[in-house]
Amino acid sequence: MFQLKTIKKSKKYQRDFEGMGEGLVLLKVESEVKNIGHNFHLFYRNGKKPPLDIAINPNDFSIEYVSFFLQDELIRVENSISEIIYKDDNLLIYSEDFTIDNTNLNFQKDFEVLLFENSLIILDARVKNNVYGYSLSGTNYILVDENNIIVGLAFKNISMNEMIVLRDVKVI
């Protein structure tokens, strides 16, 4: 398993929504200063498409990038969702299971993709309780539950250009 630790903001990130054809869009938030060398990865798979990928810098355990493919699914517009408590702190992710020979940890998880109050929320389909959002940047968050288990991502303040990408690939 792995451990989460909060720190004050230390990196700058940029967000990109990249349309890759009808029904497929890559959502990515990545560090502006890239790690040289291999990263550790947390992969959240459902057996149907590329996983939610959280890349971790092996030198300082900070998050290098997160990526998620929306593939052949529609974003559900919601009027209400489980409460998300947003925090300004970043996360460090550490696991004794990460080694030079074992750079990936794999998990099974199904996600729902929701549009709520100008935010795109990718959330574990089983989550029903409060969720905490830890900042990657001022508008992008890693979501964890009360047990410090990663349960998704939140992209706040979706821009008009990002909304156009989502509409152009017909996921909304």
Side-chain angles (χ1 to χ4, degrees), residues 39-56:
N39 292 314
F40 296 139
H41 293 269
L42 300 177
F43 290 125
Y44 294 87
R45 303 176 187 278
N46 68 1
K48 300 175 194 168
K49 60 181 181 178
L52 165 62
D53 178 5
I54 301 175
I56 301 161

Side-chain angles (χ1 to χ4, degrees), residues 85-134:
I85 301 161
Y86 291 103
K87 300 181 178 273
D88 288 332
D89 294 337
N90 292 139
L91 285 178
L92 298 181
I93 301 174
Y94 171 78
S95 175
E96 291 179 0
D97 294 332
F98 285 138
T99 66
I100 294 295
D101 297 322
N102 184 34
T103 59
N104 304 330
L105 298 180
N106 293 286
F107 304 92
Q108 287 294 120
K109 200 170 289 257
D110 283 312
F111 293 100
E112 297 177 317
V113 183
L114 312 167
L115 185 63
F116 173 71
E117 295 181 351
N118 202 34
S119 295
L120 190 60
I121 310 293
I122 297 153
L123 189 61
D124 182 332
R126 296 171 293 168
V127 169
K128 303 296 179 220
N129 296 325
N130 290 346
V131 173
Y132 301 90
Y134 289 94

Side-chain angles (χ1 to χ4, degrees), residues 1-2 4 44 109 143-152:
M1 205 43 137
F2 58 89
L4 304 177
Y44 294 87
K109 200 170 289 257
L143 302 179
V144 301
D145 69 8
E146 295 165 338
N147 299 312
N148 277 341
I149 295 172
I150 294 173
V151 295

